[in-house]
Amino acid sequence: RRQGGSAHLGFSGHLYEDQLAKLISERPEFLLVCDMGSDQIPILRKSQIPYLVIDHHATEARDEWLLSPYEFGMDGAREISASGCAYFVSKALDGDNVALSPIAVCGAYGDMQSLKGANERIVMDAESSGLVKRRKEMRLIGRVDRPIEYSIRYSTSPFIKDLSGNPSAIAQFMKENGITADPSATISQLDADMERMLISGIVEKMVRSNASTFEAEKLFGPTLRLHGAAAPTIEDLVDYLESCAALERYSTGFSLLCGDPGAGAEVETCRLCYKEKIFEGVRLFGSAAHMSSMDYLVLEGWTEYSGKLTTIYANAGYARQDAPIFALNIEGDHIKVSARANPQLLQRGLDLGKALSSAAEKFGGKGGGHDVAAGARIPRRYQDEFLEALDREIGAQLAAREEGMDE
């Protein structure tokens, strides 16, 4: 908008060949693809439509109109998201776009990245512009503007097994841990001793539930308070956007980022609907099937929630410690796969992106992503064969690292 142009904005979790063909058939003057598209470069070239692909996923593709952080020595899995890459492009176009830096940081949080490297530079931009303030505190949503019970009840990052989505259990937990604050008090209003008691109680509960270290570390640590933004903390803003995306209320999330004063109530409604859906999904974990090297769930109608559900399964105390989880979502003649793992499995050689890419290609599908979070799409008729191939692939990855360590 600052450049005086206009564009049609579309949102999608993946860019499949049929979707790209539809976009190309509309013959736009220019096509910008963000957070995906590096594997579709040959099709884009053939279209003869001017394009730019901004993608932080690891790729072997090379193209003068592909902006990849790996070309600049940056790790797209850990130190910069697609939002961060897009931010640097926008900042190069107009220095005033530093105002977008908090949104770029949302991408880092959404991808569970550290605030190091390029992400740290974005935070420094936001900090020097007075848009964020660094804090070290509890990182639950609603900690500034919602009651303590709300923050625990609707927490899904971290997901606190037996407390998240369970108000009666929260009341008992508060009583047992001596949390005697006013019912309307927020976490940020607790005194230091009371906050320590709350943190200690939650951590103890997560440890007893066999939650991963990765999940427990989400509870407390360095974070950002936002100034002049649509939410008081970075966690709240990320949570609102995630909720809108899962419900496919993309325009609502975008309106929030654009400063629409009427978007606040809408995104809160989206958040609560999304959370209840997640809690409903968690109750399906009992139907998970177990193979030699992995667990999987077969779902229908849960595609937009699978990323969060598999993250919870892998880290909140539901998974076998040595097994990643795969959610298979039935979508007509195809299956969309979401995969997550406890990050500790990376030390044993696990790479979900490579495993899904290899297994999916055997059956005419496509897969890829990051080592700890990935996805795929395969023809439905090959479900059983795909699962067997994937289980072998995961087993081989883990065994190879163990053999190397033995040597």
Side-chain angles (χ1 to χ4, degrees):
R1 290 190 298 180
R2 287 193 176 99
Q3 298 296 314
S6 62
H8 174 78
L9 185 64
F11 299 89
S12 178
H14 297 274
L15 184 62
Y16 299 114
E17 289 187 11
D18 54 343
Q19 295 172 311
L20 182 56
K22 184 177 184 300
L23 284 174
I24 290 172
S25 70
E26 296 171 359
R27 307 308 298 176
E29 294 180 17
F30 183 82
L31 191 56
L32 173 63
V33 183
C34 189
D35 203 16
M36 59 189 80
S38 57
D39 58 343
Q40 308 284 17
I41 293 294
I43 299 174
L44 288 166
R45 281 183 190 149
K46 191 179 295 186
S47 74
Q48 297 186 325
I49 295 172
Y51 63 86
L52 174 64
V53 174
I54 302 174
D55 195 350
H56 74 127
H57 296 94
T59 178
E60 296 181 2
R62 294 294 181 269
D63 188 84
E64 63 178 322
W65 298 109
L66 167 62
L67 179 63
S68 168
Y70 292 93
E71 290 288 297
F72 300 90
M74 301 177 190
D75 184 350
R78 291 175 175 80
E79 66 173 292
I80 189 167
S81 67
S83 296
C85 294
Y87 167 73
F88 283 119
V89 172
S90 70
K91 185 182 172 187
L93 290 171
D94 187 334
D96 287 343
N97 284 331
V98 70
L100 303 175
S101 51
I103 300 174
V105 178
C106 281
Y109 272 75
D111 280 347
M112 298 177 289
Q113 297 179 341
S114 63
L115 297 184
K116 298 178 180 178
N119 285 330
E120 169 65 15
R121 293 202 293 275
I122 299 171
V123 173
M124 290 174 66
D125 278 356
E127 194 172 28
S128 63
S129 301
L131 300 172
V132 305
K133 185 174 182 180
R134 299 180 198 247
R135 297 283 293 263
K136 190 171 184 179
E137 60 184 2
M138 287 190 76
R139 297 192 282 206
L140 298 186
I141 60 168
R143 62 182 178 272
V144 174
D145 59 352
R146 296 287 189 275
I148 299 169
E149 190 268 350
Y150 176 106
S151 293
I152 300 174
R153 178 177 179 177
Y154 294 112
S155 178
T156 50
S157 184
F159 186 91
I160 309 165
K161 193 175 182 181
D162 300 326
L163 289 184
S164 294
N166 194 340
S168 60
I170 293 170
Q172 183 64 26
F173 166 82
M174 299 277 279
K175 181 178 179 181
E176 291 174 352
N177 286 273
I179 311 298
T180 57
D182 184 283
S184 64
T186 67
I187 289 174
S188 64
Q189 291 172 335
L190 293 176
D191 61 38
D193 288 339
M194 196 71 72
E195 184 178 13
R196 279 194 293 269
M197 291 167 62
L198 180 60
I199 294 170
S200 177
I202 293 176
V203 169
E204 182 179 352
K205 193 159 192 67
M206 294 182 75
V207 169
R208 288 182 177 177
S209 298
N210 293 317
S212 69
T213 301
F214 169 77
E215 194 72 7
E217 287 177 346
K218 296 177 186 177
L219 179 65
F220 180 90
T223 184
L224 301 172
R225 293 280 186 98
L226 306 181
H227 298 285
T233 73
I234 193 71
E235 288 83 6
D236 282 296
L237 187 53
V238 170
D239 195 67
Y240 280 137
L241 296 176
E242 183 179 83
S243 301
C244 291
L247 297 174
E248 298 185 338
R249 295 283 297 277
Y250 304 117
S251 60
T252 301
F254 188 67
S255 295
L256 183 75
L257 295 178
C258 290
D260 181 352
E266 289 186 53
V267 295
E268 179 65 19
T269 298
C270 288
R271 170 191 269 178
L272 299 184
C273 289
Y274 171 63
K275 299 296 182 178
E276 293 302 329
K277 192 71 175 177
I278 291 298
F279 301 145
E280 181 184 345
V282 168
R283 293 193 283 272
L284 300 175
F285 287 174
S287 65
H290 310 290
M291 300 183 75
S292 297
S293 303
M294 55 179 258
D295 295 346
Y296 71 91
L297 287 159
V298 179
L299 305 170
E300 194 160 0
W302 290 88
T303 300
E304 300 302 326
Y305 306 91
S306 291
K308 175 61 74 176
L309 289 174
T310 49
T311 298
I312 291 171
Y313 186 103
N315 292 288
Y318 295 92
R320 293 181 291 162
Q321 292 301 305
D322 59 349
I325 175 69
F326 296 82
L328 279 63
N329 293 276
I330 310 298
E331 295 184 335
D333 294 334
H334 288 82
I335 293 175
K336 184 177 177 182
V337 185
S338 293
R340 298 291 187 274
N342 182 331
Q344 292 176 339
L345 286 176
L346 303 186
Q347 300 171 10
R348 295 179 53 193
L350 181 71
D351 190 320
L352 293 176
K354 290 182 179 179
L356 278 174
S357 177
S358 175
E361 286 178 4
K362 290 180 172 69
F363 305 101
K366 273 190 172 294
H370 303 299
D371 47 12
V372 74
R377 189 186 190 221
I378 62 164
R380 183 177 178 179
R381 64 183 179 276
Y382 294 122
Q383 175 181 314
D384 293 342
E385 295 90 337
F386 168 76
L387 286 169
E388 290 171 6
L390 186 58
D391 189 51
R392 288 193 298 270
E393 188 73 30
I394 295 296
Q397 286 185 354
L398 298 177
R401 176 61 63 89
E402 289 174 0
E403 289 172 5
M405 293 175 66
D406 291 340
E407 293 175 3

